[in-house]
Amino acid sequence: MLISLCFGVRGEEAPLVFINARDEHNSGYKWLQLVYDEAFKRLGKQYEVRIYPDKRGELLLAQGAVDGDLARTQDFIGLHPNLILVPVAVAWSNVAAFTTREDLVLQQWEDLALYDLRVEYRRGAVLAETRLVPLIKPENLSIANDWETGIRKLLAGRTDVYVDMEVDIQSLLASGAFPHASLKMAGVLEKVYGYPILHPKNAALAKPFEQVLGNMTREGLIESYRRQAFAQAEAGGSP
């Protein structure tokens, strides 16, 4: 799926192209949109967002076909050390384990290895892959192409646990995609932070971007935008 969403101020220069796997129906995406709109307004630049699955976006960014990614964890840079991480968090969420089993309680990644669980994560979710591959037997570990597939397989009993960002799964459930789902969060495995990622061709933007985002953090704007995005979602999407 490819959706192009344009934000930022108008100007002479071509807009910078950032990628993300989420769309406007996702609370986390709305949060990032608010952050980036303000940041690029202060930078006096224009940007647009193109929506790709995480793995596809990762390849495009590594090739330099796009300018950056709205938010990735530090583990992502471990796989792509040539890319530039802007060291100011623009989003944060819990990585959580979801299940249909009422008896299952998990408190850390290592707990997944205590049971003979069939575990699934989403393709391109670098942090989940990094944590799960050493823990889970290969025959018990699978990859879903998207959030909907991961939840559908879980509800059908084809897996025991689906691991992903709490904000993404909560947004999916709030959308009404699975109105009668008997699903629970078995536990939070880790809190993670998302940082802007730039391709090296945009190295000159890194420091100004860091300064602008740092100022916004000190002003409390990024947290304010988080509350605004989630309050809007709870209100059914009304402004």
Side-chain angles (χ1 to χ4, degrees):
M1 178 178 66
L2 167 61
I3 304 173
S4 183
L5 304 165
C6 295
F7 308 106
V9 298
R10 296 290 177 185
E12 297 288 332
E13 300 177 355
L16 293 166
V17 177
F18 281 77
I19 54 172
N20 195 254
R22 295 142 188 86
D23 62 22
E24 69 273 15
H25 303 295
N26 183 289
S27 301
Y29 177 81
K30 292 177 182 177
W31 178 13
L32 288 169
Q33 178 187 335
L34 292 168
V35 171
Y36 271 74
D37 279 358
E38 177 62 21
F40 273 84
K41 178 180 177 181
R42 295 187 184 195
L43 288 166
K45 293 183 177 293
Q46 188 178 5
Y47 81 106
E48 67 179 53
V49 180
R50 295 180 185 174
I51 309 300
Y52 294 100
D54 271 331
K55 193 62 180 180
R56 174 63 175 157
E58 178 182 344
L59 294 173
L60 290 171
L61 182 55
Q63 295 165 359
V66 296
D67 295 294
D69 192 303
L70 292 184
R72 290 277 190 162
T73 65
Q74 289 182 321
D75 294 75
F76 184 77
I77 287 292
L79 294 180
H80 301 279
N82 62 308
L83 299 178
I84 300 169
L85 180 146
V86 179
V88 181
V90 291
W92 46 89
S93 181
N94 294 321
V95 180
F98 294 86
T99 186
T100 58
R101 289 177 46 172
E102 290 294 331
D103 63 321
L104 189 60
V105 177
L106 305 168
Q107 297 181 322
Q108 56 188 348
W109 291 99
E110 289 74 15
D111 290 349
L112 289 164
L114 300 177
Y115 310 95
D116 192 30
L117 298 170
R118 296 166 298 168
V119 180
E120 187 157 80
Y121 65 98
R122 184 170 42 85
R123 189 178 306 279
V126 172
L127 184 141
E129 180 176 3
T130 301
R131 304 290 191 269
L132 290 171
V133 168
L135 281 175
I136 307 301
K137 294 185 294 186
E139 61 269 26
N140 281 353
L141 188 60
S142 58
I143 305 172
N145 287 327
D146 50 49
W147 295 282
E148 291 87 347
T149 302
I151 295 302
R152 192 175 297 114
K153 289 173 67 177
L154 183 62
L155 294 173
R158 294 170 60 189
T159 59
D160 300 307
V161 172
Y162 178 67
V163 173
D164 215 318
M165 295 291 185
E166 180 182 1
V167 60
D168 294 326
I169 301 307
Q170 297 297 359
S171 291
L172 176 62
L173 296 176
S175 73
F178 299 95
H180 306 296
S182 177
L183 196 67
K184 79 158 196 171
M185 193 165 69
V188 170
L189 304 176
E190 184 175 347
K191 183 174 183 178
V192 295
Y193 296 84
Y195 302 88
I197 304 293
L198 299 173
H199 189 270
K201 65 184 177 181
N202 298 305
L205 179 63
K207 277 299 179 185
F209 200 15
E210 179 182 350
Q211 291 170 355
V212 163
L213 291 172
N215 290 337
M216 290 170 60
T217 299
R218 287 186 286 274
E219 293 163 19
L221 271 179
I222 295 180
E223 170 59 21
S224 175
Y225 289 147
R226 183 191 69 81
R227 294 196 301 268
Q228 181 179 334
F230 284 86
Q232 182 176 336
E234 290 175 4
S238 58

